[in-house]
Amino acid sequence: MAEKSNETPQDEKTEEPTQQRLEESRREGNVAQSKEITAFMVLLGCVGVIYFGGSNLLEVYFDLFRQLTDLAGTMQINMSTVGKLLYLTLGSIVKIVLPIAAIGLTAGIAGTIVQVGFNFSTKPLEPNLNKLNPVSGFKRIFSMNTIVEGAKSIAKLVAIGTIAYLMVVDSILTAPVLTEFESVEIVNYMGIIGFRMVGAISLALFVIAGGDLAWQKYQYIKKLRMTKQELKDELKNREGDPLLKARIRSVQRERAQKRMMEEIPKADVIVTNPTHISIALKYDPKNMEAPKVIAKGADYIALKIKEIAKDNDIPLVENVPLARALHKSVKIGQYIPRSLYQAVAEVLAYIYRIGRR
């Protein structure tokens, strides 16, 4: 019988990573990027420098060649002249290499920024002992990522080899014609062939880099997937424990209700439904612009409001439409709307008339 896996469905990473998990991974320097895209950008930058500035670079090279040729028959070799030759040669090499290296470095940085944006993190530089674990290293050697890297290397080798072979075969067929060309024309011809070859190779590498970027993003998202429990824990940490939040809301309601009950003895009248709704109204013509609802409730709370009103000799007035309208449209602590002025005024006039307030 096959051995059962110890991993339960609850432990399976089936949920897509949340935005918070993606941001945490990014802060740690873990991002989805393809080295092939960066390499392609570097190659494109270097080829661009050679294409647009090749004549200047060749001029520096030929100038160095002329100077060395002129000095070959007249200069005596000693410590002083060797230093001069070395300085002359290195200066020309720097003039040739520096623009290519600078553009290559800039293109490499641009390739990274294009993929992941600006993201600086020192986390990848911190020592990690897990990388020295031989078991983890053995797993990496035989992982799917290693297989993909091997397939990618083979694809690049086949693409470059095929393109180079086709280009060389085509050039060999036209080689006899080169005997009729000037030396400058031959150099130009070889340059055109070279750029065609590099262009074709760059196109093939671009296709490979695009596939690699898609694979890296897939692997990145797969690595960050979460279990259902991890998703619940993150939601709990972000929004708080639901049980605790419910308890806090319950306490807040109890305190608000207690404060409301303490305000009832200040009311002028209690408008009732008569059994399901109770609304406590207060009106001070000198200090208030309109009557205010200082307490309200339904069912048990309505009965409680009535009990407190009876204990404090506050009149109860039965008015079903008014009670329902006040309970539905006016919050505790709010003034009544203009649409209910007339109805409330009649209730207050009745209370004043019988001398209860």
Side-chain angles (χ1 to χ4, degrees), residues 171-186:
S171 301
I172 289 175
L173 297 177
T174 58
V177 185
L178 297 178
T179 56
E180 301 176 3
F181 289 179
E182 297 289 337
S183 58
V184 176
E185 294 175 334
I186 294 174

Side-chain angles (χ1 to χ4, degrees), residues 81-96:
T81 56
V82 168
K84 182 179 179 180
L85 289 173
L86 195 60
Y87 176 79
L88 182 65
T89 304
L90 291 177
S92 298
I93 292 175
V94 168
K95 290 179 182 179
I96 295 172

Side-chain angles (χ1 to χ4, degrees), residues 83-295:
K84 182 179 179 180
L85 289 173
L86 195 60
Y87 176 79
L88 182 65
T89 304
L90 291 177
S92 298
I93 292 175
V94 168
K95 290 179 182 179
I96 295 172
V97 174
L98 187 60
I100 299 175
I103 294 298
L105 177 62
T106 304
I109 296 173
T112 302
I113 293 175
V114 165
Q115 296 181 76
V116 301
F118 292 94
N119 184 47
F120 179 78
S121 175
T122 59
K123 189 74 174 179
L125 301 178
E126 296 178 2
N128 187 358
L129 297 179
N130 290 331
K131 294 181 179 180
L132 302 178
N133 189 342
V135 177
S136 300
F138 186 78
K139 289 181 179 179
R140 285 195 297 269
I141 293 175
F142 295 97
S143 65
M144 178 58 70
N145 190 53
T146 304
I147 296 174
V148 172
E149 289 294 323
K152 188 171 59 179
S153 300
I154 294 173
K156 288 191 290 184
L157 183 62
V158 170
I160 294 172
T162 302
I163 292 170
Y165 173 77
L166 295 175
M167 289 287 186
V168 169
V169 169
D170 184 64
S171 301
I172 289 175
L173 297 177
T174 58
V177 185
L178 297 178
T179 56
E180 301 176 3
F181 289 179
E182 297 289 337
S183 58
V184 176
E185 294 175 334
I186 294 174
V187 171
N188 289 336
Y189 175 79
M190 298 301 293
I192 292 172
I193 295 298
F195 275 109
R196 285 181 180 175
M197 183 182 296
V198 171
I201 291 173
S202 299
L203 184 60
L205 293 181
F206 177 74
V207 174
I208 295 173
D212 182 60
L213 179 60
W215 167 257
Q216 295 299 335
K217 287 187 175 181
Y218 168 76
Q219 286 290 92
Y220 178 72
I221 297 298
K222 181 181 178 182
K223 183 180 178 181
L224 293 181
R225 280 179 184 167
M226 309 168 68
T227 63
K228 294 184 182 298
Q229 186 60 43
E230 287 175 338
L231 196 61
K232 291 179 181 178
D233 292 342
E234 182 179 304
L235 185 64
K236 184 184 294 184
N237 292 332
R238 185 171 66 246
E239 299 183 357
D241 190 339
L243 296 177
L244 180 59
K245 291 177 67 177
R247 176 57 183 163
I248 292 174
R249 286 194 295 267
S250 176
V251 171
Q252 290 173 341
R253 283 195 299 268
E254 290 176 1
R255 291 180 178 178
Q257 184 175 316
K258 182 179 180 181
R259 289 194 298 269
M260 182 185 74
M261 294 300 179
E262 291 173 352
E263 291 293 316
I264 293 174
K266 302 176 184 178
D268 291 312
V269 63
I270 306 297
V271 181
T272 66
N273 191 19
T275 58
H276 297 296
I277 297 175
S278 295
I279 310 293
L281 295 175
K282 178 178 176 58
Y283 181 51
D284 183 356
K286 295 181 180 179
N287 301 315
M288 299 170 66
E289 59 187 39
K292 180 189 292 186
V293 174
I294 61 173

Side-chain angles (χ1 to χ4, degrees), residues 23-34:
E23 290 175 357
E24 289 177 356
S25 178
R26 183 179 176 85
R27 284 194 295 269
E28 293 177 357
N30 297 323
V31 290
Q33 62 174 325
S34 169

